[in-house]
Amino acid sequence: MTMPTTTPPPGKAALTGTPFADVTASATTLRRFLHGLPGVDTVGLEARAAALGTRSIKTTAKAYAIDLAISMIDLTTLEGADTAGKVRALGAKAVHPDPTDRTTPKTAAVCVYPDMVATAKEAVAGSGVKVASVATAFPAGRAALAVKLADVRDAVAAGADEIDMVIDRGAFLAGDFMKVYEEIVAVKEASGQARLKVIFETGELSTYDNIRRASWIGMLAGADFIKTSTGKVGVNATPANTLLMLEAVRDFRAQTGVQVGVKPAGGIRTSKDALKFLVLVNETAGADWLDNHWFRFGASSLLNDLLMQRQKLATGRYSGPDYVTVD
């Protein structure tokens, strides 16, 4: 898809003259701001997410939505057993998801560990597919800041276009919001021109209020995207936590003029699920986010189901089990 002009990344310079210019002046002002955010109506949030999930998308609109979802995927492999061959195969699939139908959109990116960035970069060279790299001691984030920053710089030096970092959940849950904020700022600086996705691991934050606070910390600190999860814990992306984050980016842009993307990751495996998330985007943040520059799916097996459904719409029948690769 054609990428729109990038909005300048948020941060102190971008927030000058906004209501948030002094929010991060000290740990006290940041804490006061975060605890002053409206409390989340759990029942209302989950009911709205469920209601939007019942919307039906038919025929031409469904075909468009499936192609849009394919174009929004960060095709991901983050396993200890990853090999160069597996990453090259992933890159080939990202560039030509369906080799029998070259009208199939490319995925937005491939996402790998830092040591596989160079291999992934070579595999997608010239295609426009981005290479994203997890960093900052993913997935636990248990390392010294110097180690995390070295991880980021290694990935960027190898050619990463995007960095997916994890926040220090221990610091966040202990109420040390300034530490979380300052770490994101430092990672943003180390990322250089690479876009930064900040992962909250929503399944470990316990409450919707905490997810809202983490979203605002990420946006204030300079995140280009806020991301639900690593995909490595029991609870990952859900319609409700993604809806909450979409509300946050909508409100942030309304008050600052700065647009931030959203990436749900983990547990989104079917076309039906992906289309529900696209409805959430359209109805909550708006059409400006219906583009892979501002919305992504962190997934691996999701692409296979989207391809199966795409062929079903084109031919009227489901393909055989060998039509798509098994991830």
Side-chain angles (χ1 to χ4, degrees), residues 53-164:
T54 64
R55 297 281 178 87
S56 179
I57 302 177
K58 303 290 187 183
T59 58
T60 303
K62 185 174 183 180
Y64 170 79
I66 286 173
D67 277 4
L68 182 61
I70 291 171
S71 78
M72 290 173 162
I73 290 177
D74 283 1
L75 194 57
T76 302
T77 184
L78 298 170
E79 303 298 335
D82 285 344
T83 64
K86 182 178 181 181
V87 170
R88 282 192 287 269
L90 190 79
K93 185 172 182 178
V95 175
H96 296 298
D98 181 355
T100 71
D101 182 356
R102 294 304 175 96
T103 68
T104 308
K106 296 174 289 212
T107 71
V110 292
C111 185
V112 295
Y113 276 112
D115 65 317
M116 289 294 177
V117 167
T119 301
K121 195 77 174 177
E122 182 180 357
V124 301
S127 68
V129 173
K130 304 298 184 183
V131 174
S133 177
V134 296
T136 64
F138 178 96
R142 307 312 311 172
L145 179 58
V147 174
K148 294 179 181 182
L149 296 180
D151 202 22
V152 173
R153 293 186 185 111
D154 282 350
V156 172
D161 301 296
E162 301 170 355
I163 295 294
D164 290 36

Side-chain angles (χ1 to χ4, degrees), residues 233-248:
V233 299
V235 178
N236 294 290
T238 68
N241 62 34
T242 303
L243 173 59
L244 182 58
M245 291 165 63
L246 287 164
E247 290 176 345

Side-chain angles (χ1 to χ4, degrees), residues 259-285:
Q259 188 162 342
V260 178
V262 175
K263 178 180 173 179
I268 305 171
R269 297 185 176 88
T270 69
S271 299
K272 185 177 181 180
D273 288 340
L275 269 53
K276 287 180 181 179
F277 277 83
L278 293 183
V279 171
L280 289 178
V281 176
N282 188 61
E283 296 297 320
T284 306

Side-chain angles (χ1 to χ4, degrees), residues 249-263:
V249 298
R250 176 200 64 196
D251 294 347
F252 188 74
R253 191 181 74 167
Q255 297 182 68
T256 67
V258 175
Q259 188 162 342
V260 178
V262 175
K263 178 180 173 179

Side-chain angles (χ1 to χ4, degrees), residues 97-101 104 304 307-308 310-311 319-325:
D98 181 355
T100 71
D101 182 356
T104 308
N304 296 336
L307 293 174
M308 298 273 282
R310 191 176 192 273
Q311 192 199 48
S319 57
D322 58 350
Y323 175 68
V324 295
T325 59

